[in-house]
Structure formats: C-alpha cells, structure tokens
C-alpha cells in the first residue's frame, strides 16, 4: 500500500464518541481516498453486532448519493488493538456491500478506527481486504482547517423531483396476489427509468437567467447504467456544448462566486433534473390505433398509489453529466421509490401514509441528509418526535433544539434572479443580528455571554405603525418571538401589536377594550403571550433598583450559555432587549448588551450602532453615570428554550 493510502483526512469538526458502540465513517468517491466527511452512529444493533439490514435501509434514505460508508469506528473501554480494527473494517465492508453492491467494494480501502471511550484517543487502521493480515496502521491523520471549502468548491448538488401516480387492478378476493401486483407495478416503474426513450433534462437552479446555460437533454439510450463509479474518467470544464455526453456538471455551475458567499449546502450550485417519458418518436412501422379487450377472470378493483420522489445527490463538478444521472440520480430514485413502496405496503388496502422526503443541512454535518416524514402525523405527535430523536442520536445533534423539523428543510427553489427564497415580512426585510461588529464593552478581563442564534430587530415606527412612547415592550416581544421563529421552534408569524393585545384578552388578562388601545405592557404580559402563542415558559427576575442589576450577572450569564434566548428588561414605562453580558466575576465589573426598541429611524446598521441603539451599556460608566436608574424597579423576563427536537 502506498504512503498516500495511509494518510487519513478528517473533515468533520470532531469525531462524536459515545460510551460504546460503532460509528460509521462517511466519505465520497469524489474526495481523495480515506477522507472522512462525517460520522453516523449505529443505532440498530443487538448485544453482539449491528443490525445490518435495518442500518442499510436507514442510511440508504439518509445519505445522498455521492456519499458512502468508507469505514467504521468502534468504541472500546481501553483496548486499541488491531483485532478491534478488524472488527470495525468487517462491519463497514458488510454494510457497504448492502448499500452499494459487490462491484463497488473492488479495490476499495476501508478504514477501521478504534477509540478509547475513557481518554477519547483514536487509532486508525486501513485494509484493502477482509484478511486480518492486510490491516495496516495509519501513519498520519490530517484535520482540515476549512472543510466547507473542500466539500463545496469542488462539488455541487443535483436535485430530481418526480411525482408518480401508480394505478393497477387487483383481484378483490386475493389480497396476496394484489400485493404481488403492487410490487410488480413498482418494478415496472423502475424499469422505465432505464427505458431507451426516457428523457432526463438538466438545467441550473442557481444562476441568473442572463447567465444560465440552456437545458440539456439526455436520453436513456445515451446513458451507461453499468459503469462502476470509481472507474469513471472525470472531464474538465472545456467540453463543447454540442456534445452533451461530454458535458460535466461544471457546465451548470457558477464560474465565480462572491468572496462573501458562505460555502454550504444552502448556497451550493444546484442542478435540477426532470424526468420525462418521450413517446413522440417516429415508429418504424405505420400502424392504426388498436384497442384490445381483456376481460378479467374474476372481480377486480382499481387501486391508485401516489409517490412523491425528491432525490438530492452530490457530485464533483468534473463528473460527466451523463454519469451523474446514471450513477447518482437513477439509483437515488430507485432507492427512494423502494423505501416508499416498503412503507406503504402494510397499509396498501387502507389509508395510505402521506410520505414526503425533505432535505436538511444540520449544524456540524458537512453534507445534506434526506428524511422521509409521514405527514399524516403532526410534528409534535409522539411518533414524529421519536423519529427525530433517533435522527439526532444518529448524527450526534443536541436534543434541546429543533434541527430536523420541516421548517428547517433546505429550500432549493429559486427566484427569477437566481437567488434562493428567503422569508421576510411585507416590504423590506428586517435587520438581523444587529450586534455583530459592534465595539467591545470595555470590561477588562470579562467573560462575554451572548444570545445564541439569529433574531430580527423590531423598534418604534416600523411598518408605518406609530407606537412611539408606548410600544417598546411590544417591540421587545416581537424581537423575542422572531428568535424562536428563526430557530424553528415555531412557524407562526411575529404577532402585531393588535394580535398581542388580542391574545391577552383571550386568556382573560385584559378587557376587550384593551384591543386597539395604546396601553403599556410589561414582563408578566409578555410571559402570558409567549405561553399562549408559543407554549414557551418564562422566568421572571425582580430587581428593586438599577444598582442591584450587577448582582444578577452570574445568573444572566448562565441563561445565555444554557438557554441563549433574548431577555426583556422592563422598568417603569421603558423596556429594552438584552442580548448579552460581559462580566468579570473577580472585579464585579460588567456591561449589558442592549438592543433598544425606542429607535425611530431607518433600518441602517451603521446608523443604529453609531447612535448607540445597539451596544454595550456599563452598569456604571467612567463618569459615574448609570444606564439603569438606581431608584427604578426592574423586571427581567428570561424565556426558556423548549426541550424539544
């Protein structure tokens, strides 16, 4: 084995280790050999080994084509010997054989890693075969400093959406025969994907119309469905447009990107592939239409099954388009159709489950993943929650935030100018994360604790609504709700002043005359609204004067580190939004990061920061002045992050 084959490149931020068990190491045929892009935990196993059939079914759905299992990491208490590496290599090869077939294992190097569950130390081994004698120790392990660049500068996404309506007749008195006919009908659909007359039309999703290349047509008769992916010769970007079989995926990708573009799945070049069945070609024989009557030998009934396929694949930009379709899109469609077919079969004669695939790009996972959700269930119902919990467990995601809800799904649709759709209010979009780039607090040796995640800045006079002098707490509440919305804890719109008042009337806190009034609200009313609209509980801190606020710094820092939600501070008729604190526990010096809803100007970030409408306010400044008044009573509303997935 050459020296290059004994160097492991790690792209994932870290290897997520559990106490015991197996982690599948994920790579790509388009990366240099032995490059680990992510790890996925084995969650189906008995006392001795993984349940390979169930694991392969799960990963076949979860992993986009273009990523595969290249090894396994086995976690032991202390023993890092080769025999454990052999166990990991054997497990990875068995799983990959189920996922990709015997041909893809030919001349493939498999990684076997052994981790100490106590120290976290990991030892890597590699092997080209299942023979224990062929296992070799890895010489070097490289951790990439910019893994997003490695993945997304060289690669693109390919998306194929295909709704299928499958009608078939079955004998009423023979359900087992009906199931066979259903399976046969789906196999016939799969055969159509390779029909010589099938048409695959590829077009770009990510460029403006003036720059977009024309769609390209490839027919089934032009495609090679038998070539092994590792044997395909990559091509450059200079292939001529006239030869569609020589075009690479780069033909549909942006030639240059802005330096400010974030490299990620959300911003990746995306190729849209549509599937069409061409029946308009000239027939070699001239015939007249023929109607054939075939009477059924027994009573039959029509059954219609609907499938909604949406496949996402990853390819290097230098992969020929024809192979991107035959070796990525086609097997992706087949695997997803088989998954849906299997899920529908138990309910074939009853109400069919509403199954729909969604694609996600969870934080810390470099590649997208695909999940099929049953829309018959609400997202908060126990069955859906359990599905998401198992996915969080597999990918090592935290269990206290929703990362795989439908609202988190990748939006790969585009507007006419080629930009991805972004949610915004009516009119111009609101400013987000205004505190980015502000000057430091001036606290020497302090520890900064900040809001976690994005929020929108709501302030006086927005949307032409005059709430100057009374609406500051309403605006602070809107900013807090926007945080929950942007973190996907809710899909409701940020409520207007009237909707906030309506909520308080509906729970009996206010009289009907309150709706449409200009009355102030405080921390208690905000907690009522958050509970009613979002189901969010709140903690309220009472401070007798501004002089006592620094005494709450330790508790506020813990809030930002554990909950991460914005805080509303109310005192008298004034309300502010607290986004963080800078606190030196030894000296007691502290500063509060205030987002001021009393601002009445245009949404210009520079103007807001320079005017002090978002910035650090010291409890006592250098001139002895206090931002929070000594003689004023303050309430602090600390919204709690729901424990949910």
């Amino acid at each position: 084995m050459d020296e290059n084959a004994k160097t492991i490149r790690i792209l994932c931020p870290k290897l997520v280790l559990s106490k015991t068990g197996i982690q599948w190491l994920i790579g790509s045929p388009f990366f240099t050999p032995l490059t680990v892009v992510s790890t996925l935990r084995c969650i189906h196993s008995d006392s001795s080994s993984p349940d390979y059939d169930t694991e392969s079914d799960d990963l076949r759905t979860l992993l986009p084509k273009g990523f595969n299992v290249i090894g396994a990491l086995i976690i032991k208490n202390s023993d890092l010997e080769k025999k454990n590496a052999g166990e990991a290599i054997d497990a990875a090869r068995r799983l990959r054989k189920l996922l990709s077939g015997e041909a893809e294992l030919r001349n493939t190097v498999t990684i076997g890693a052994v981790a100490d569950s106590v120290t976290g130390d990991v030892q890597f081994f590699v092997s080209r075969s299942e023979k224990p004698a062929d296992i070799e120790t890895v010489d070097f392990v490289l951790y990439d400093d910019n893994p997003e660049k490695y993945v997304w500068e060289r690669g693109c996404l390919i998306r194929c959406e295909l709704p299928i309506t499958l009608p078939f007749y079955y004998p009423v008195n023979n359900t087992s025969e009906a199931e066979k006919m259903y399976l046969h009908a789906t196999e016939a659909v799969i055969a159509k994907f390779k029909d010589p007359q099938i048409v695959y039309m590829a077009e770009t999703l990510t460029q403006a119309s003036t720059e977009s290349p024309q769609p390209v047509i490839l027919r089934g008769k032009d495609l090679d469905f038998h070539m092994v992916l590792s044997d395909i010769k990559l091509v450059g970007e200079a292939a001529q447009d006239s030869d569609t079989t020589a075009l690479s995926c780069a033909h549909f990708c942006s030639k240059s990107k802005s330096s400010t573009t974030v490299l990620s799945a959300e911003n990746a070049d995306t190729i849209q592939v549509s599937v069409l069945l061409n029946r308009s070609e000239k027939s070699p024989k001239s015939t007249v239409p023929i109607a054939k009557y075939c009477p059924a030998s027994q009573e039959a009934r029509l059954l219609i099954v609907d499938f909604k396929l949406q496949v996402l694949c990853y390819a290097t930009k230098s992969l020929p388009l024809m192979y991107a379709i035959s070796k990525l899109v086609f097997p992706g469609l087949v695997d997803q159709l088989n998954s849906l077919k299997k899920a529908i079969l138990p309910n074939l004669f009853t109400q069919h489950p509403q199954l729909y695939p969604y694609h996600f790009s969870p934080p810390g996972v470099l590649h997208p993943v695909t999940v099929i959700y049953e829309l018959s269930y609400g997202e908060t119902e126990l069955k859906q929650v359990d599905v998401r919990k198992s996915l969080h467990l597999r990918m090592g995601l935290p269990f206290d935030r929703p990362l795989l809800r439908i609202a988190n799904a990748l939006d790969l649709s585009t507007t006419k100018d080629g930009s991805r759709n972004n949610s915004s209010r009516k009119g111009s979009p609101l400013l987000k994360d205004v505190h980015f780039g502000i000057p430091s607090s001036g606290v020497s040796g302090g520890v900064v604790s900040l809001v976690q995640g994005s929020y929108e800045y709501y302030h006086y006079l927005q949307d032409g609504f005059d709430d100057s002098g009374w609406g500051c707490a309403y605006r602070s509440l809107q900013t807090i709700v926007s945080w929950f919305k942007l973190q996907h804890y809710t899909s409701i719109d940020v409520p207007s002043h009237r909707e906030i008042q309506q909520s308080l009337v509906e729970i009996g806190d206010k009289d009907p005359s309150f709706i449409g009034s200009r009355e102030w609200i405080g921390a208690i009313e905000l907690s009522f609204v958050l509970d009613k609209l979002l189901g969010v509980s709140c903690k309220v801190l009472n401070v007798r004067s501004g002089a006592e606020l620094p005494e709450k710094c330790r508790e506020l820092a813990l809030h930002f580190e554990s909950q991460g939600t914005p805080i509303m501070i109310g005192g008298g008729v004034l309300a502010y939004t607290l986004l963080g604190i800078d606190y030196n526990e030894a000296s007691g010096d502290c500063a509060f990061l205030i987002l001021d809803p009393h601002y009445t100007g245009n949404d210009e970030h520079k103007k807001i920061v320079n005017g002090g409408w978002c910035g650090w306010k010291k409890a006592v400044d250098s001139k002895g002045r206090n931002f929070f008044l000594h003689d004023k009573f303050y309430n602090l509303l600390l919204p709690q992050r729901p424990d949910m997935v």
Side-chain angles (χ1 to χ4, degrees):
M1 187 180 296
D2 59 29
E3 291 298 313
N4 289 331
K6 290 198 270 184
T7 298
I8 302 285
R9 180 190 292 267
I10 306 293
L11 299 182
C12 45
K14 62 179 179 178
L15 297 176
V16 182
L17 303 181
S18 57
K19 291 183 180 179
T20 57
I22 289 180
Q23 305 267 351
W24 305 118
L25 305 180
I26 307 303
S28 172
F30 308 122
F31 298 161
T32 53
L34 307 182
T35 297
V36 179
V37 67
S38 72
T39 65
L40 297 175
R41 184 175 299 173
C42 173
I43 61 173
H44 300 293
S45 61
D46 55 30
S47 58
S48 58
S49 67
D51 180 343
Y52 292 100
D53 289 335
T54 307
E55 283 290 298
S56 62
D57 285 345
D58 281 5
L59 296 191
R60 196 175 284 113
T61 297
L62 191 69
L63 277 179
K65 296 300 178 184
F67 294 101
N68 53 21
V69 174
I70 62 170
L73 180 150
I74 191 167
I75 302 165
K76 295 289 186 180
N77 291 331
S78 60
D79 190 358
L80 305 185
E81 294 182 1
K82 273 189 180 182
K83 64 179 182 179
N84 291 323
E87 183 182 339
I89 289 170
D90 178 64
R93 291 181 67 88
R94 287 184 63 181
L95 181 63
R96 186 165 181 178
K97 184 176 179 180
L98 288 172
L99 289 169
S100 307
E102 189 73 49
E104 294 291 344
L105 281 176
R106 178 166 46 90
N107 297 323
T108 298
V109 181
T110 305
I111 302 172
V114 186
D116 188 321
S117 62
V118 178
T119 65
D121 294 336
V122 181
Q123 178 69 60
F124 290 92
F125 302 85
V126 293
S127 176
R128 288 188 181 274
S129 72
E130 299 176 1
K131 298 177 182 178
D134 291 340
I135 298 176
E136 298 185 44
T137 304
V138 168
D139 298 320
F140 304 102
V141 179
L142 304 178
Y143 289 85
D144 202 289
D145 293 332
N146 195 345
E148 292 83 4
K149 181 178 180 181
Y150 186 94
V151 174
W152 297 111
E153 270 197 352
R154 70 181 62 206
C156 62
L157 293 175
I158 306 172
R159 175 178 181 264
C160 181
E161 187 171 7
L162 180 63
I164 297 174
T165 298
L166 184 66
F168 65 95
Y169 284 94
Y170 70 94
V172 173
N173 299 320
N174 192 341
T175 56
S176 61
E177 187 66 24
E179 291 177 356
K180 291 179 182 178
M181 296 178 74
Y182 165 67
L183 298 176
H184 176 75
T186 54
E187 290 301 319
V189 171
I190 291 172
K192 289 290 184 185
F193 293 156
K194 299 169 70 173
D195 190 295
Q197 295 188 61
I198 199 80
V199 169
Y200 292 91
M201 182 176 71
E203 54 191 327
T204 185
L205 270 184
T206 50
Q207 294 184 11
S209 57
T210 55
E211 304 173 3
S212 298
Q214 293 298 310
V216 170
I217 298 292
L218 287 170
R219 303 180 187 278
K221 62 185 179 183
D222 302 323
L223 302 178
D224 184 350
F225 294 96
H226 305 290
M227 175 77 78
V228 176
L229 194 57
S230 58
D231 294 338
I232 294 172
K233 183 179 180 182
L234 304 181
V235 298
E237 297 183 18
Q240 297 298 314
D241 292 2
S242 57
D243 184 5
T244 57
T245 60
L247 285 178
S248 69
C249 293
H251 176 77
F252 296 96
C253 299
S254 301
K255 301 300 183 287
S256 61
K257 288 186 179 291
S258 168
S259 59
T260 60
T261 300
V262 177
L263 294 171
S264 64
E266 292 91 337
N267 299 314
D269 291 302
T270 305
I271 303 171
Q272 174 72 36
V273 173
S274 303
V275 183
L276 309 167
L277 188 59
N278 183 7
R279 289 298 188 189
S280 61
E281 290 187 353
K282 291 183 178 180
S283 173
K285 297 180 181 180
S286 295
T287 59
V288 296
I290 298 175
K292 196 171 184 180
Y293 175 61
C294 301
S297 58
Q298 54 184 302
E299 184 182 357
R301 184 172 297 166
L302 175 65
L303 186 62
I304 298 176
V305 180
D306 290 311
F307 300 100
K308 297 185 184 299
L309 307 184
Q310 191 182 113
V311 170
L312 197 64
C313 310
Y314 173 86
T316 178
K317 295 177 183 179
S318 55
L319 180 69
L321 179 64
M322 61 179 292
Y323 288 115
I325 292 173
S326 64
K327 302 307 296 180
L328 299 175
V329 175
F330 165 71
L333 289 171
V334 172
D335 283 351
Q336 196 169 100
L337 180 58
N338 281 330
S339 295
L340 295 175
K341 173 190 72 177
K342 186 176 180 180
I344 290 174
L345 183 58
N347 301 289
L348 187 61
F349 303 106
T350 58
Q351 182 71 32
H352 296 163
Q354 300 175 43
L355 303 171
Y356 193 82
Y358 292 92
H359 312 295
F360 299 91
S361 182
V365 182
L366 289 172
H367 56 78
V369 295
T370 299
V371 180
I372 298 175
Y373 283 144
E374 185 172 345
L375 303 185
S376 311
Y377 297 94
E379 286 199 291
T380 58
E381 292 190 40
L382 184 59
K383 182 171 182 177
Q384 291 290 66
V385 171
D386 287 344
V387 169
R388 291 196 300 272
K389 281 183 177 179
S390 69
L391 291 167
H392 278 241
L393 177 65
R394 187 182 285 284
M395 289 183 274
L397 302 175
F399 288 93
D400 64 346
R401 59 204 65 186
L403 301 173
L404 299 174
R405 292 194 168 211
I406 292 173
N408 301 85
L410 287 173
D411 180 9
L412 298 178
S413 60
T414 56
T415 58
K416 288 185 178 180
D417 64 356
S419 62
R420 294 276 161 84
N421 290 334
N422 292 311
S423 60
S424 65
R425 65 183 176 127
K426 293 179 180 178
S428 58
L430 294 170
L431 289 178
K432 291 182 181 178
D433 308 328
V434 188
H435 68 286
F436 285 7
I438 65 171
S440 62
S441 70
V443 174
S444 177
V447 176
V448 177
S449 303
L450 296 175
V451 64
Q452 300 176 26
S454 292
Y455 60 88
E456 292 172 323
Y457 180 27
Y458 283 84
H459 58 79
Y460 279 169
L461 304 184
Q462 278 179 331
D463 296 321
F465 184 78
D466 184 3
D467 57 345
S468 181
W470 63 275
C472 51
Y474 292 84
R475 296 299 188 179
S476 182
L477 175 59
Q478 289 175 326
T479 293
I480 291 171
V481 174
S482 77
W483 184 93
F484 282 96
K485 182 176 175 64
L486 291 172
Q487 269 55 246
H488 304 293
Y489 285 100
T490 182
S491 58
I492 71 165
D493 292 331
V494 174
S496 65
H497 294 57
R498 188 177 185 86
E499 289 168 336
I500 292 169
Q501 293 172 338
Q502 179 73 40
S503 296
L504 291 170
V505 170
E506 289 176 358
I507 64 172
D509 181 65
K510 301 293 183 184
D511 294 328
S513 59
F514 179 66
I515 299 175
S517 71
R518 299 167 68 90
E519 293 185 31
W520 295 308
I521 57 174
I524 299 302
E525 286 89 350
L526 264 66
S527 69
F528 290 160
V529 175
L530 288 171
D531 180 51
K532 174 175 171 52
L533 296 183
L534 307 183
V536 167
S537 61
C538 298
K539 183 178 181 180
V540 177
L541 301 180
N542 297 315
V543 182
R544 288 177 294 180
S545 73
E548 291 188 5
L549 270 173
E551 299 176 10
K552 301 294 183 182
C553 281
R554 187 181 291 106
E555 190 169 355
L556 295 175
L558 180 61
H559 169 84
F560 285 116
E561 290 163 8
S562 62
Q563 302 297 321
T565 63
I567 293 172
M568 191 280 278
I569 300 180
V573 297
L574 298 177
Y576 303 94
T577 307
L578 179 62
L579 300 177
I581 67 164
D582 191 352
Y583 178 49
N584 184 321
E585 189 169 356
S587 67
D589 192 14
C590 61
F592 301 84
L593 180 53
I594 297 295
L595 183 67
D596 196 336
H598 301 92
Y599 175 66
T600 59
N602 297 328
D603 284 354
E604 298 176 20
H605 183 265
K606 186 176 181 180
K607 183 178 178 181
I608 291 166
V609 173
N610 291 344
W613 300 102
C614 181
W616 292 100
K617 310 294 182 183
K618 297 197 73 173
V620 180
D621 66 17
S622 59
K623 297 181 180 180
R625 294 173 300 190
N626 297 278
F627 179 77
F628 299 107
L629 300 178
H630 275 238
D631 58 351
K632 193 180 291 285
F633 185 92
Y634 288 92
N635 289 318
L636 289 85
L637 181 81
L638 285 62
Q640 305 298 292
R641 184 196 292 267
D643 186 9
M644 59 191 292
V645 295

